[in-house]
Amino acid sequence: MPSSRGAAQSRPPYIPRSSSSSASFKGCCCCLFLLFSFLALLILAVVLVVVLALKPKKPQFDLQQVGIQYMNITTPNPTAASLSLNIRMIFTAVNPNKVGIKYGESRFTVMYRGIPLGRASIPGFFQDPHSQRQVDATIAVDRVSLLQADAADLIRDASLNDRVELRILGDVAAKIRLLSFDSPGVQVSVDCAIVISPRKQSLTYKQCGFDGLNV
């Protein structure tokens, strides 16, 4: 008859139920992590293949028209002047891609001889593939103070020469939209050197560049 000691030695070791459940839970978490990692890599691979197939290009944001709606210069004292000005700008947004583009809010600054006169903003919008759209912005300059020398130059350019040189700087934020997903932001810098005729309220010269002025 086997002894009680031999029977005790032949029994399998006791494994606590909590340890077994913990090991099973860790195994499930590991499987889920691997599954999600595989799905993420698969989605990334599909997106890369689609992007390479579409060959997305940067959108074009071109300044078409500039008009002066109002201009007034006052001299409250001999050493300074105050400028009020309304400028209306019309841009043409061109989407050369096979997919839509989502634009964020765009901001532009108008400068005269390095002096910021005012700023304008264009609300964000969505543009369909292979389309062209006009957007406009108005810059309202309300009694901006200028030094007397700069004010005199502006008066001379506007009244005598009928030629006011301005520079328009801005950044356009855009994202390519594909299957309800937006790509990382693409920044397009607009830099335009323009000349306007205050008498005709029209644009007489324009040279624009994207990502820097092309001179």
Side-chain angles (χ1 to χ4, degrees):
M1 180 176 182
S3 63
S4 59
R5 178 180 298 179
Q9 290 178 350
S10 62
R11 293 177 183 174
Y14 173 73
I15 301 176
R17 183 172 296 179
S18 60
S19 299
S20 177
S21 300
S22 177
S24 177
F25 178 75
K26 290 180 179 178
C28 291
C29 289
C30 183
C31 292
L32 289 175
F33 175 76
L34 292 176
L35 177 61
F36 286 131
S37 299
F38 173 76
L39 291 177
L41 291 175
L42 181 61
I43 293 174
L44 180 60
V46 172
V47 171
L48 289 176
V49 170
V50 173
V51 168
L52 291 176
L54 294 176
K55 296 179 180 179
K57 301 177 182 178
K58 275 190 176 185
Q60 300 174 11
F61 221 83
D62 191 18
L63 179 64
Q64 292 294 325
Q65 298 179 23
V66 178
I68 296 181
Q69 299 175 326
Y70 172 77
M71 177 185 288
N72 184 34
I73 300 175
T74 59
T75 54
N77 57 71
T79 60
S82 178
L83 171 67
S84 297
L85 180 69
N86 274 7
I87 299 178
R88 183 170 181 259
M89 303 179 296
I90 299 178
F91 294 89
T92 298
V94 179
N95 180 11
N97 296 286
K98 300 177 183 178
V99 292
I101 291 181
K102 180 182 178 181
Y103 291 91
E105 184 181 13
S106 305
R107 299 180 182 274
F108 299 90
T109 301
V110 173
M111 305 182 71
Y112 173 74
R113 297 195 176 188
I115 304 170
L117 297 181
R119 292 177 173 84
S121 62
I122 299 176
F125 62 93
F126 177 79
Q127 187 173 12
D128 294 325
H130 292 300
S131 64
Q132 180 173 311
R133 175 175 176 174
Q134 284 191 339
V135 292
D136 62 332
T138 300
I139 295 181
V141 180
D142 186 19
R143 295 189 295 273
V144 173
S145 296
L146 297 175
L147 295 178
Q148 186 67 33
D150 297 322
D153 290 338
L154 182 58
I155 293 174
R156 183 182 64 252
D157 291 340
S159 59
L160 298 180
N161 302 328
D162 192 29
R163 176 186 172 88
V164 177
E165 298 181 10
L166 300 174
R167 191 167 186 177
I168 299 175
L169 304 173
D171 291 319
V172 181
K175 295 182 179 180
I176 294 175
R177 172 161 289 186
L178 178 63
L179 301 177
S180 300
F181 294 98
D182 295 334
S183 69
V186 177
Q187 201 78 11
V188 180
S189 297
V190 178
D191 191 341
C192 293
I194 65 173
V195 177
I196 56 179
S197 169
R199 296 174 189 171
K200 300 178 182 178
Q201 294 189 357
S202 62
L203 183 68
T204 60
Y205 173 83
K206 178 193 69 172
Q207 185 174 14
C208 290
F210 302 97
D211 297 327
L213 183 62
N214 299 324
V215 180

